[in-house]
Amino acid sequence: MVEGPFLLYLGDKSNPLDVKTSRGLATFRSNDCIGEFREDSCPLTLGLPRMDVTQAVAAGARSLVLGIATSGGRIEEAMVPHILAALDADLDVVSGLHQRLDADPRIVERAKANARRLIDVRLAPRDLRVGTGQRRPGRRLLTVGTDCAVGKMYTSLALVAGMHERGMAARFRATGQTGVLIAGEGIVIDSVIADFISGAAEALSPAREDGGWDVIEGQGSLFNPSFAGVSLGLLHGAQPDALVLCHDPSRPHMRGLAHMPVPDLAICMAENLRCVRLTSPEAQFVGVSINGSQMDPAKASDLRARIEDELGLPCIDPVATGTGPILERIAARFPS
């Protein structure tokens, strides 16, 4: 596990989705987050004290976490002076970006000079095998989405928390950089070579005999042409018994793809079932989870009721309603 306390890097980002890794840590590892580093031009905040690296070290920070999304997952030139300053201040640097920290010789040189660690979360295990589709014991739930960044990780974590409250054995299985940082373990699936994605999902959630659940964090969407490949690999390798569809009703089109509309929920569910049944013939949906944070509460409540009527499934917002209705359906459909 990456050790806290953390200074969370927001930089100059203005889109809330671009800081979701930092936000995820602030939400689910709040005790380890002591401050946020942001430029004067950054309008976002996580509600943490604003600090520079020197102030963060004085407050006890051990790592600067680059919890942002950038174009192409690259280390932006404007970030480099802040990374170097963090290393000079005796902070380790943790990154979830696609470009590795050691790809920049300036960063490598400074880390060596200060005997600090460079930690790239997006490093796939070297011993992965291709998937086989062989059935294995244990119960598994996979969150899937109408698009990327619609709440699959949040829903997965909320479901695990709800299972624990009910005395159920459950583990969160992280597949994204934010989830791995929160859980302290997992496989960042988009760092895996395509042929090994389903095998990585099988390795991430091995056989278990205790009657408990592995709740696997989904990625992308079958309907997003940028990320459909990783979604399909997870469906086949996770071999889920249960699926939960995640959806952001405020989004008019796929993120960053104005020419691609968000799919109808029923159509999205049908396609996920068609694909997953290659390796999980009995898989079924147990609910829908919406992100209603951008909606009027009354309208969000009406939408959840309408989705329940149309699909015959419980529809929750894990923040507004909790996960109880989905957990009740799981208990009814999959008695221990």
Side-chain angles (χ1 to χ4, degrees):
M1 177 177 288
V2 179
E3 295 182 353
F6 304 134
L7 174 64
L8 301 179
Y9 186 87
L10 307 184
D12 61 356
K13 299 306 172 188
S14 59
N15 185 337
L17 289 178
D18 287 342
V19 300
K20 69 174 186 175
T21 294
S22 285
R23 190 176 301 281
L25 283 169
T27 301
F28 293 102
R29 289 187 67 177
S30 57
N31 290 339
D32 284 324
C33 300
I34 63 172
E36 61 188 35
F37 180 97
R38 53 187 171 87
E39 303 276 17
D40 291 339
S41 60
C42 176
L44 307 175
T45 181
L46 305 176
L48 297 170
R50 185 182 180 188
M51 297 180 177
D52 61 26
V53 294
T54 302
Q55 292 168 329
V57 170
R62 301 180 66 175
S63 303
L64 173 70
V65 179
L66 305 178
I68 62 172
T70 64
S71 178
R74 308 289 296 175
I75 298 172
E76 297 170 340
E77 187 60 30
M79 299 168 59
V80 174
H82 304 311
I83 295 171
L84 299 180
L87 295 168
D88 286 339
D90 287 334
L91 290 173
D92 294 334
V93 178
V94 182
S95 174
L97 297 171
H98 286 280
Q99 182 183 357
R100 291 178 54 168
L101 290 164
D102 61 12
D104 190 311
R106 297 168 295 179
I107 296 174
V108 173
E109 180 182 354
R110 195 68 59 89
K112 288 182 178 178
N114 291 290
R116 305 314 305 172
R117 294 187 302 164
L118 301 176
I119 303 171
D120 286 290
V121 177
R122 270 191 168 102
L123 286 178
R126 296 185 177 182
D127 58 349
L128 291 175
R129 301 175 182 271
V130 297
T132 67
Q134 181 69 39
R135 291 296 296 170
R136 58 193 187 275
R139 294 292 193 190
R140 287 172 293 278
L141 182 150
L142 175 68
T143 50
V144 298
T146 53
D147 193 10
C148 60
V150 291
K152 294 183 285 293
M153 182 199 73
Y154 198 106
T155 298
S156 299
L157 286 163
L159 286 167
V160 170
M163 288 175 172
H164 288 168
E165 290 174 359
R166 292 171 178 242
M168 300 168 64
R171 296 177 293 197
F172 170 65
R173 296 303 196 179
T175 63
Q177 70 274 16
T178 309
V180 169
L181 283 168
I182 291 169
E185 61 180 358
I187 299 175
V188 181
I189 289 292
D190 66 13
S191 69
V192 175
I193 295 172
D195 281 357
F196 296 89
I197 291 175
S198 60
E202 291 180 3
L204 183 68
S205 176
R208 60 184 299 174
E209 305 283 355
D210 63 352
W213 285 83
D214 277 359
V215 179
I216 303 165
E217 173 192 10
Q219 295 295 327
S221 168
L222 290 179
F223 289 80
N224 187 312
S226 302
F227 309 110
V230 71
S231 305
L232 182 62
L234 274 173
L235 281 167
H236 291 163
Q239 293 183 4
D241 301 278
L243 297 163
V244 172
L245 179 65
C246 300
H247 175 59
D248 182 349
S250 68
R251 193 172 297 181
H253 54 74
M254 294 293 184
R255 186 185 178 199
L257 301 174
H259 61 289
M260 297 292 298
V262 174
D264 172 80
L265 298 187
I267 291 174
C268 188
M269 289 172 56
E271 184 64 11
N272 275 276
L273 286 175
R274 186 185 71 82
C275 292
V276 76
R277 284 177 174 162
L278 175 69
T279 55
S280 299
E282 304 301 321
Q284 59 181 280
F285 274 93
V286 293
V288 177
S289 175
I290 70 165
N291 176 356
S293 60
Q294 303 302 310
M295 298 183 67
D296 172 79
K299 291 182 178 179
S301 178
D302 289 345
L303 175 64
R304 292 194 300 270
R306 187 164 68 251
I307 290 173
E308 290 186 345
D309 288 342
E310 292 175 355
L311 300 180
L313 290 169
C315 181
I316 65 156
D317 179 328
V319 175
T321 71
T323 59
I326 289 180
L327 296 177
E328 290 169 9
R329 189 175 184 92
I330 290 172
R333 294 299 180 95
F334 303 96
S336 57

